[in-house]
Amino acid sequence: GESVGLHLPTLSVQEGDNSIINCAYSNSASDYFIWYKQESGKGPQFIIDIRSNMDKRQGQRVTVLLNKTVKHLSLQIAATQPGDSAVYFCAENGSGNTGKLIFGQGTTLQVKP
Amino acid sequence: EAQVTQNPRYLITVTGKKLTVTCSQNMNHEYMSWYRQDPGLGLRQIYYSMNVEVTDKGDVPEGYKVSRKEKRNFPLILESPSPNQTSLYFCASSSYGTGRDDTQYFGPGTRLTVL
């Protein structure tokens, strides 16, 4: 079945270091991927997205890398700050035309001061 | 401010007592969707709507109803809530299907407890 998974449930990093959060997806037909950040008590917040015709996309302090060969997605956060502490989800659009997003289980990022 | 709003944010109810969770977006989005979030299961889609008067089932529609009479509103209805519907619910909207932007924007969530 379709699934999107993250490799690590929790990632702990030192403030100022770079963070890398990984995600594996299973549906080869997915052509749109999104990273969301969810802080405690809030809804998922869009961070960055990428389409399958790209390998890399950069935003402010964040970079998403897509490796379609191994169906792998990663989110890189530069100079991680305490405010980056949250649960990060990757999502894919799957193969149907329903607009549904398929979410991974999430990785908790803990930033140590 | 562009946003998706949900009400109520918190609700404790009893089994069988009908309830409605409202969702409204001010971004003129055609697409709206409801998800539930449960520990270990992630976010799962309940229902979605491509446009006014067009709704369809997601992955976990049992026990839920929706309606889309207006573009901006997409209420979630639990006709006879049961304890297994205790969850955190999110409404989302996007321009999906229009070719503009498939990004889904989420509301703040509604935490529902059914006793």
Side-chain angles (χ1 to χ4, degrees), chain A residues 2 31-32 34 36 38 41-46 49 51 87 89 93 96-106, chain B residues 9-10 31 35 37-43 45 48 50 58-59 88 90 96 101-109:
Chain A
E2 295 176 330
D31 61 5
Y32 181 60
I34 309 174
Y36 284 95
Q38 187 174 20
K42 297 184 179 180
Q45 177 187 359
F46 171 83
D49 59 359
R51 293 206 175 269
V87 179
F89 294 93
N93 63 347
N97 292 319
T98 66
K100 178 180 70 175
L101 292 178
I102 304 164
F103 286 84
Q105 292 300 307
Chain B
R9 294 289 316 278
Y10 303 91
Y31 183 92
Y35 293 84
Q37 186 175 35
D38 303 287
L41 297 175
L43 281 146
Q45 191 183 52
Y48 65 95
M50 291 284 196
D59 294 322
L88 181 57
F90 290 103
Y96 176 80
D101 177 9
D102 288 349
T103 304
Q104 288 192 23
Y105 298 91
F106 284 78

Side-chain angles (χ1 to χ4, degrees), chain B residues 11-78:
Chain B
L11 179 60
I12 300 174
T13 189
V14 294
T15 299
K17 186 177 181 181
K18 180 180 179 180
L19 66 92
T20 299
V21 183
T22 65
C23 173
S24 182
Q25 50 93 4
N26 63 0
M27 295 170 278
N28 201 35
H29 284 161
E30 288 76 10
Y31 183 92
M32 296 186 75
S33 179
W34 277 102
Y35 293 84
R36 59 178 289 174
Q37 186 175 35
D38 303 287
L41 297 175
L43 281 146
R44 296 176 292 167
Q45 191 183 52
I46 303 171
Y47 267 94
Y48 65 95
S49 169
M50 291 284 196
N51 214 322
V52 176
E53 301 293 359
V54 180
T55 64
D56 213 336
K57 297 177 181 178
D59 294 322
V60 288
E62 294 77 21
Y64 304 95
K65 285 175 58 178
V66 292
S67 69
R68 188 89 182 276
K69 294 184 171 56
E70 305 165 282
K71 196 173 187 180
R72 63 183 292 128
N73 297 322
F74 190 45
L76 179 69
I77 303 155
L78 285 72

Side-chain angles (χ1 to χ4, degrees), chain A residues 8-98:
Chain A
L8 289 174
T10 303
L11 176 65
S12 185
V13 301
Q14 203 70 38
E15 181 179 357
D17 288 351
N18 296 333
S19 303
I20 300 176
I21 300 172
N22 295 305
C23 178
Y25 65 94
S26 61
N27 194 325
S28 300
S30 291
D31 61 5
Y32 181 60
F33 305 87
I34 309 174
W35 279 101
Y36 284 95
K37 172 187 181 183
Q38 187 174 20
E39 297 174 280
S40 181
K42 297 184 179 180
Q45 177 187 359
F46 171 83
I47 302 173
I48 192 168
D49 59 359
I50 189 168
R51 293 206 175 269
S52 58
N53 59 354
M54 300 175 70
D55 298 322
K56 179 180 179 179
R57 191 163 188 224
Q58 287 184 291
Q60 187 176 11
R61 280 202 308 119
V62 294
T63 301
V64 55
L65 298 177
L66 176 63
N67 185 330
K68 295 180 286 294
T69 303
V70 295
K71 291 186 282 188
H72 183 268
L73 192 70
S74 70
L75 176 70
Q76 300 178 0
I77 304 173
T80 312
Q81 303 168 359
D84 295 326
S85 295
V87 179
Y88 290 81
F89 294 93
C90 62
E92 62 175 314
N93 63 347
S95 56
N97 292 319
T98 66

